[in-house]
Amino acid sequence: MADGLRVTALAGGVGGAKLAEGLAYLLPPAQLRIIVNTGDDFEHLGLTLCPDLDTVMYTLAGIASSETGWGIEGDSFHCLAGLERLDGPAWFRVGDRDLATHLLRTEWLRQGARLTEVTRRLSTTLGVSHSLLPMSDRPCRTIVVTPDGELPFQTYFVKRKARPQLMGVRWDATMGIGATPEVMAALAWADVIILCPSNPFVSIDPILALHGVRDTLKESHVIGVSPIIGGEAVKGPAAKMLQELEGEASAAAVATHFQDVLTGFVIDCVDSGLAPRIRDLGIDVEVSETLMPGLDERVALAGRVLAFGSALRG
Amino acid sequence: MADGLRVTALAGGVGGAKLAEGLAYLLPPAQLRIIVNTGDDFEHLGLTLCPDLDTVMYTLAGIASSETGWGIEGDSFHCLAGLERLDGPAWFRVGDRDLATHLLRTEWLRQGARLTEVTRRLSTTLGVSHSLLPMSDRPCRTIVVTPDGELPFQTYFVKRKARPQLMGVRWDATMGIGATPEVMAALAWADVIILCPSNPFVSIDPILALHGVRDTLKESHVIGVSPIIGGEAVKGPAAKMLQELEGEASAAAVATHFQDVLTGFVIDCVDSGLAPRIRDLGIDVEVSETLMPGLDERVALAGRVLAFGSALRG
């Protein structure tokens, strides 16, 4: 079905990682590239943390926590307990084994390696054979605009639990910052580009905001998968953000948000009633089960998405 | 016995920490300052590690590992296992809770705090009420001269297990680097200065090498405690170093090494035969049990040292 099809997926955190795992199960490394949002990255205790990259990497390595979706399965939090004991900043929960990733990444970045190269080394060592590409090698941080002022993404998301009203999103230093050469090559190379079911505003938009990416997508076959099912996000604040910024939390609102780049859109069976509205935007629609609690569902949805993309490509 | 006596102790790692614990048990915070070697400090994975400071701090806080003497009792090593899994540098064994100390210290130093201030904050949070003073706020690293060339101390000590022949010791950037104002004040303030039973070359000498310290000690009542018992070090490479640099591993060789500053010297009962030789150097001698496996022995030795120092002061 997907014989020889070249696929590039754009992913954020947990939802994106699940579909990426399904795609990686079906496609050999030569046919799949995964571009990951780095807008969530931040500095914490001198370490460079890349939450989305790590979530995708740990998921593909088969070591992601099945309970939280982030971090490493069965990890301990003794360093965090030590930080609490010393009245240090413990608001961001970093596990002990997870910390090794951050220490090494930060060390290699300090030595001058590009984040692309660092990610390749880390993921290869963890046994990930598919190509994980950070969207940029340079910091391009998501800034959330709220009534309390502008907040760095992790402050808004973790410290403030995504409670402040969202008035807008912007990217620090996006101006003139492009995607990496590897990302641009992966977009040009792909027969089909997939927008994984990740948060539209803080997972997918940061990638699209990079110089040249949106224009490339407009010329490509782009299939999106809705992160909203029955008006709710499976995880995270996507529904609240859609309500606040677009006035409606629905799969149709996501399709509308991405209408300039989408060729096709996959929505959940419970949202089949929204299909006509999305088709009116000039976007083909596929209706499918889209919840992906386990590998079976991830592979099944990946298969549906690939078949849909392959068919649309004609 | 030690009523009102003002005491400043110079300490390195494990042996120094044990006597410091005994002194801290007997003397209130107002009567004791502990100056700690920072020549062992080094950068590891971007973190500033201060092994001697931490050993003394953890010992006084009552959380030092009783098995190793360094690190925190019952600490786990999951981050280290993660580093090994990622082919990262795992030669220096840092525990998970211990890591919290290094992360916070490094963060605070990066924010511009002096090591003296950082140490005060960390030790106060851990419940240490006595004053721990790093010898210097600026890096002043011990360099070991060997037939294989010059080696940073931790490379020689941990990575090479102190196996290379010692030809000399020097300090990086000592030229012009002084002790902190707090250290100089503690030396001037003290009625008695104690050289704890720490390695002469890489624990005590780095402090004496700082501008002005040796001259101040020559004017003071200085009591040393031998780290060598019956020709052997209780822990670490002090005996091997003495043999290589002074041609003799004995309490007498240690006394000779420090003869320009010592008023009195405490040797172990098994070394009582060396007393005449040391007295010939113009140094008073006290013979005592000096092994300090537990708190009882630490307090007992501290009491003997204080009595000896008090008597010598006259």
Side-chain angles (χ1 to χ4, degrees), chain B:
Chain B
M1 153 188 87
D3 190 45
L5 193 71
R6 293 179 297 194
V7 175
T8 293
L10 276 54
V14 178
K18 288 177 178 175
L19 185 57
E21 189 182 19
L23 292 168
Y25 190 88
L26 292 175
L27 297 173
Q31 279 176 246
L32 178 64
R33 309 275 181 273
I34 303 160
I35 298 169
V36 184
N37 169 45
T38 59
D40 297 8
D41 295 4
F42 69 119
E43 308 289 325
H44 182 59
L45 288 168
L47 305 173
T48 300
L49 271 60
C50 304
D52 283 358
L53 266 179
D54 287 347
T55 294
V56 177
M57 179 171 76
Y58 292 156
T59 300
L60 291 196
I63 60 173
S65 165
S66 54
E67 188 191 346
T68 59
W70 50 264
I72 295 175
E73 181 77 22
D75 207 353
S76 53
F77 291 84
H78 298 151
C79 181
L80 191 77
L83 284 170
E84 283 173 336
R85 173 75 182 81
L86 291 167
D87 292 335
W91 60 273
F92 196 85
R93 291 182 58 77
V94 178
D96 297 322
R97 281 177 176 271
D98 190 21
L99 198 48
T101 302
H102 311 317
L103 282 166
L104 270 186
R105 173 193 292 124
T106 306
E107 173 81 348
W108 290 340
L109 289 173
R110 192 168 28 236
Q111 290 170 358
R114 296 193 303 139
L115 183 59
T116 299
E117 172 61 16
V118 168
T119 304
R120 195 193 60 74
R121 285 172 70 178
L122 289 172
S123 57
T124 301
T125 311
L126 289 175
V128 176
S129 49
H130 291 80
S131 179
L132 294 190
L133 302 172
M135 69 183 201
S136 176
D137 285 323
R138 286 190 284 167
C140 181
R141 309 290 160 86
T142 298
I143 308 283
V144 170
V145 185
T146 78
D148 304 342
E150 298 194 337
L151 300 175
F153 176 72
Q154 295 294 349
T155 302
Y156 161 81
F157 184 64
V158 180
K159 225 179 203 171
R160 306 285 301 272
K161 301 185 198 310
R163 281 182 190 134
Q165 184 201 335
L166 193 63
M167 299 168 66
V169 177
R170 70 173 186 83
W171 290 277
D172 201 25
T174 299
M175 186 101 63
I177 285 201
T180 66
E182 289 84 353
V183 163
M184 294 310 290
L187 294 175
W189 161 88
D191 298 316
V192 173
I193 294 169
I194 296 172
L195 307 188
C196 290
S198 296
N199 189 302
F201 305 104
V202 294
S203 292
I204 303 297
D205 276 357
I207 307 175
L208 301 193
L210 294 168
H211 183 74
V213 171
R214 185 176 289 271
D215 287 343
T216 304
L217 262 59
K218 285 178 181 169
E219 307 299 316
S220 312
H221 291 279
V222 178
I223 308 294
V225 179
S226 178
I228 301 292
I229 302 176
E232 303 282 348
V234 178
K235 183 174 164 60
K240 175 175 177 288
M241 288 178 164
L242 275 163
Q243 190 64 52
E244 289 168 350
L245 286 179
E246 311 278 8
E248 177 190 339
S250 74
V254 177
T256 305
H257 183 78
F258 290 126
Q259 65 178 303
D260 60 332
V261 299
L262 286 178
T263 313
F265 198 55
V266 180
I267 61 175
D268 195 84
C269 301
V270 303
D271 292 317
S272 59
L274 296 169
R277 232 182 99 192
I278 298 170
R279 289 198 181 99
D280 282 349
L281 299 168
I283 301 167
D284 271 293
V285 176
E286 174 82 0
V287 178
S288 170
E289 297 287 346
T290 63
L291 266 175
M292 296 178 283
L295 183 62
D296 285 354
E297 295 86 359
R298 295 169 196 189
V299 173
L301 180 56
R304 290 294 288 269
V305 171
L306 291 175
F308 184 41
S310 193
L312 281 185
R313 189 171 159 250

Side-chain angles (χ1 to χ4, degrees), chain A residues 46 76 78-79 85 96 110 125, chain B residues 46 76 78-79 85 110 125:
Chain A
S76 54
H78 299 150
C79 181
R85 173 75 182 81
D96 297 322
R110 193 168 29 235
T125 310
Chain B
S76 53
H78 298 151
C79 181
R85 173 75 182 81
R110 192 168 28 236
T125 311

